Tab-separated table of all heavy atoms in Angstrom:
chain	number	residue	atom	x	y	z
A	1	GLN	N	54.078	36.425	12.710
A	1	GLN	CA	54.481	35.161	13.279
A	1	GLN	C	54.306	35.163	14.797
A	1	GLN	O	53.819	34.183	15.389
A	1	GLN	CB	55.965	34.895	12.955
A	1	GLN	CG	56.434	33.522	13.544
A	1	GLN	CD	57.870	33.178	13.059
A	1	GLN	OE1	58.321	33.658	12.065
A	1	GLN	NE2	58.547	32.406	13.842
A	2	HIS	N	54.603	36.262	15.406
A	2	HIS	CA	54.385	36.399	16.889
A	2	HIS	C	52.905	36.257	17.195
A	2	HIS	O	52.491	35.605	18.122
A	2	HIS	CB	54.914	37.738	17.354
A	2	HIS	CG	54.769	37.962	18.815
A	2	HIS	ND1	55.343	37.170	19.772
A	2	HIS	CD2	54.072	38.878	19.490
A	2	HIS	CE1	55.038	37.595	20.952
A	2	HIS	NE2	54.265	38.642	20.831
A	3	GLN	N	52.051	36.898	16.366
A	3	GLN	CA	50.626	36.778	16.553
A	3	GLN	C	50.130	35.336	16.425
A	3	GLN	O	49.336	34.898	17.234
A	3	GLN	CB	49.917	37.674	15.487
A	3	GLN	CG	48.415	37.555	15.461
A	3	GLN	CD	47.823	38.246	14.282
A	3	GLN	OE1	48.313	39.304	13.847
A	3	GLN	NE2	46.753	37.740	13.742
A	4	ALA	N	50.658	34.638	15.397
A	4	ALA	CA	50.241	33.259	15.247
A	4	ALA	C	50.716	32.390	16.395
A	4	ALA	O	50.013	31.468	16.800
A	4	ALA	CB	50.827	32.729	13.920
A	5	LEU	N	51.913	32.660	16.890
A	5	LEU	CA	52.407	31.891	18.056
A	5	LEU	C	51.561	32.141	19.302
A	5	LEU	O	51.332	31.215	20.076
A	5	LEU	CB	53.856	32.247	18.343
A	5	LEU	CG	54.914	31.653	17.413
A	5	LEU	CD1	56.308	32.310	17.610
A	5	LEU	CD2	55.013	30.136	17.628
A	6	ARG	N	51.103	33.379	19.460
A	6	ARG	CA	50.309	33.648	20.626
A	6	ARG	C	48.950	32.889	20.545
A	6	ARG	O	48.458	32.395	21.544
A	6	ARG	CB	50.059	35.150	20.747
A	6	ARG	CG	51.321	35.937	21.239
A	6	ARG	CD	50.994	37.411	21.344
A	6	ARG	NE	50.039	37.654	22.406
A	6	ARG	CZ	50.391	37.776	23.707
A	6	ARG	NH1	51.664	37.615	24.080
A	6	ARG	NH2	49.475	37.970	24.626
A	7	VAL	N	48.393	32.886	19.358
A	7	VAL	CA	47.141	32.148	19.159
A	7	VAL	C	47.340	30.630	19.477
A	7	VAL	O	46.522	30.050	20.216
A	7	VAL	CB	46.628	32.296	17.722
A	7	VAL	CG1	45.451	31.311	17.452
A	7	VAL	CG2	46.182	33.757	17.483
A	8	ARG	N	48.410	30.111	18.908
A	8	ARG	CA	48.659	28.679	19.168
A	8	ARG	C	48.956	28.408	20.656
A	8	ARG	O	48.531	27.424	21.240
A	8	ARG	CB	49.847	28.163	18.327
A	8	ARG	CG	49.965	26.654	18.338
A	8	ARG	CD	51.235	26.216	17.665
A	8	ARG	NE	52.420	26.579	18.440
A	8	ARG	CZ	53.638	26.152	18.152
A	8	ARG	NH1	53.863	25.349	17.114
A	8	ARG	NH2	54.656	26.511	18.891
A	9	SER	N	49.703	29.358	21.299
A	9	SER	CA	49.995	29.161	22.666
A	9	SER	C	48.774	29.229	23.573
A	9	SER	O	48.629	28.430	24.477
A	9	SER	CB	50.977	30.267	23.150
A	9	SER	OG	52.180	30.213	22.459
A	10	SER	N	47.826	30.103	23.260
A	10	SER	CA	46.585	30.205	23.987
A	10	SER	C	45.748	28.899	23.852
A	10	SER	O	45.166	28.419	24.799
A	10	SER	CB	45.767	31.389	23.480
A	10	SER	OG	46.420	32.642	23.711
A	11	GLU	N	45.759	28.347	22.659
A	11	GLU	CA	45.105	27.076	22.441
A	11	GLU	C	45.745	25.946	23.228
A	11	GLU	O	45.071	25.068	23.763
A	11	GLU	CB	45.020	26.722	20.945
A	11	GLU	CG	44.187	27.697	20.114
A	11	GLU	CD	44.270	27.463	18.649
A	11	GLU	OE1	45.137	26.667	18.242
A	11	GLU	OE2	43.480	28.025	17.861
A	12	GLU	N	47.088	25.976	23.246
A	12	GLU	CA	47.853	24.918	23.949
A	12	GLU	C	47.599	25.005	25.447
A	12	GLU	O	47.528	24.000	26.118
A	12	GLU	CB	49.303	25.033	23.674
A	12	GLU	CG	50.124	23.885	24.217
A	12	GLU	CD	51.608	23.956	23.862
A	12	GLU	OE1	52.014	24.834	23.054
A	12	GLU	OE2	52.364	23.128	24.438
A	13	VAL	N	47.436	26.232	25.996
A	13	VAL	CA	47.160	26.428	27.385
A	13	VAL	C	45.851	25.737	27.779
A	13	VAL	O	45.758	24.962	28.760
A	13	VAL	CB	47.088	27.919	27.792
A	13	VAL	CG1	46.396	28.131	29.108
A	13	VAL	CG2	48.468	28.569	27.830
A	14	LYS	N	44.821	25.913	26.954
A	14	LYS	CA	43.510	25.247	27.245
A	14	LYS	C	43.682	23.761	27.198
A	14	LYS	O	43.149	23.051	28.054
A	14	LYS	CB	42.524	25.710	26.140
A	14	LYS	CG	42.133	27.158	26.203
A	14	LYS	CD	41.174	27.546	25.075
A	14	LYS	CE	40.849	28.994	25.028
A	14	LYS	NZ	40.007	29.372	23.849
A	15	SER	N	44.406	23.239	26.248
A	15	SER	CA	44.590	21.819	26.134
A	15	SER	C	45.366	21.260	27.343
A	15	SER	O	45.010	20.193	27.910
A	15	SER	CB	45.329	21.479	24.827
A	15	SER	OG	45.666	20.112	24.770
A	16	LEU	N	46.444	21.975	27.748
A	16	LEU	CA	47.232	21.515	28.894
A	16	LEU	C	46.475	21.628	30.193
A	16	LEU	O	46.649	20.815	31.110
A	16	LEU	CB	48.509	22.304	28.950
A	16	LEU	CG	49.529	22.021	27.831
A	16	LEU	CD1	50.750	22.977	27.967
A	16	LEU	CD2	50.023	20.578	27.929
A	17	ARG	N	45.604	22.646	30.321
A	17	ARG	CA	44.795	22.752	31.551
A	17	ARG	C	43.891	21.504	31.685
A	17	ARG	O	43.722	20.970	32.761
A	17	ARG	CB	43.947	23.981	31.439
A	17	ARG	CG	44.658	25.244	31.923
A	17	ARG	CD	44.909	25.202	33.418
A	17	ARG	NE	45.510	26.393	33.977
A	17	ARG	CZ	45.835	26.585	35.250
A	17	ARG	NH1	45.645	25.590	36.085
A	17	ARG	NH2	46.325	27.695	35.631
A	18	ALA	N	43.295	21.062	30.551
A	18	ALA	CA	42.471	19.866	30.575
A	18	ALA	C	43.297	18.627	30.904
A	18	ALA	O	42.865	17.760	31.708
A	18	ALA	CB	41.759	19.717	29.245
A	19	ALA	N	44.479	18.547	30.331
A	19	ALA	CA	45.358	17.431	30.609
A	19	ALA	C	45.814	17.415	32.060
A	19	ALA	O	45.952	16.326	32.692
A	19	ALA	CB	46.579	17.466	29.710
A	20	LEU	N	46.037	18.581	32.600
A	20	LEU	CA	46.493	18.664	33.999
A	20	LEU	C	45.426	18.179	34.943
A	20	LEU	O	45.693	17.527	35.975
A	20	LEU	CB	46.851	20.097	34.317
A	20	LEU	CG	47.623	20.397	35.610
A	20	LEU	CD1	48.996	19.741	35.580
A	20	LEU	CD2	47.732	21.910	35.848
A	21	ALA	N	44.134	18.513	34.639
A	21	ALA	CA	43.033	18.049	35.480
A	21	ALA	C	42.906	16.575	35.418
A	21	ALA	O	42.516	15.943	36.432
A	21	ALA	CB	41.793	18.772	35.059
A	22	ALA	N	43.161	15.981	34.240
A	22	ALA	CA	42.966	14.543	34.104
A	22	ALA	C	44.139	13.764	34.630
A	22	ALA	O	43.953	12.660	35.222
A	22	ALA	CB	42.755	14.218	32.622
A	23	ASN	N	45.376	14.224	34.414
A	23	ASN	CA	46.540	13.459	34.791
A	23	ASN	C	47.746	14.379	34.989
A	23	ASN	O	48.530	14.584	34.100
A	23	ASN	CB	46.862	12.455	33.655
A	23	ASN	CG	48.062	11.575	34.009
A	23	ASN	OD1	48.425	11.367	35.162
A	23	ASN	ND2	48.771	11.068	32.963
A	24	PRO	N	47.837	15.022	36.193
A	24	PRO	CA	48.900	15.970	36.454
A	24	PRO	C	50.249	15.377	36.397
A	24	PRO	O	50.537	14.291	36.971
A	24	PRO	CB	48.540	16.475	37.852
A	24	PRO	CG	47.747	15.427	38.474
A	24	PRO	CD	46.988	14.782	37.360
A	25	ARG	N	51.165	16.002	35.643
A	25	ARG	CA	52.522	15.560	35.553
A	25	ARG	C	53.490	16.855	35.637
A	25	ARG	O	53.044	17.922	35.230
A	25	ARG	CB	52.811	14.838	34.219
A	25	ARG	CG	51.958	13.613	34.015
A	25	ARG	CD	52.444	12.705	32.903
A	25	ARG	NE	52.722	13.452	31.671
A	25	ARG	CZ	51.799	13.691	30.736
A	25	ARG	NH1	50.545	13.288	30.932
A	25	ARG	NH2	52.095	14.340	29.635
A	26	PRO	N	54.654	16.645	36.118
A	26	PRO	CA	55.504	17.853	36.273
A	26	PRO	C	55.795	18.624	35.014
A	26	PRO	O	55.869	19.853	35.012
A	26	PRO	CB	56.806	17.241	36.867
A	26	PRO	CG	56.763	15.795	36.543
A	26	PRO	CD	55.362	15.453	36.535
A	27	GLU	N	55.964	17.914	33.883
A	27	GLU	CA	56.265	18.601	32.636
A	27	GLU	C	55.082	19.459	32.145
A	27	GLU	O	55.280	20.465	31.432
A	27	GLU	CB	56.679	17.602	31.547
A	27	GLU	CG	55.662	16.579	31.155
A	27	GLU	CD	55.717	15.298	31.980
A	27	GLU	OE1	56.304	15.329	33.094
A	27	GLU	OE2	55.215	14.297	31.500
């Protein structure tokens, strides 16, 4: 489960980085 969470977290980081570049928000 920890392994799966790390995989999902890494994918979320990539997605959030793209979102941050397009529209930075504090959250």
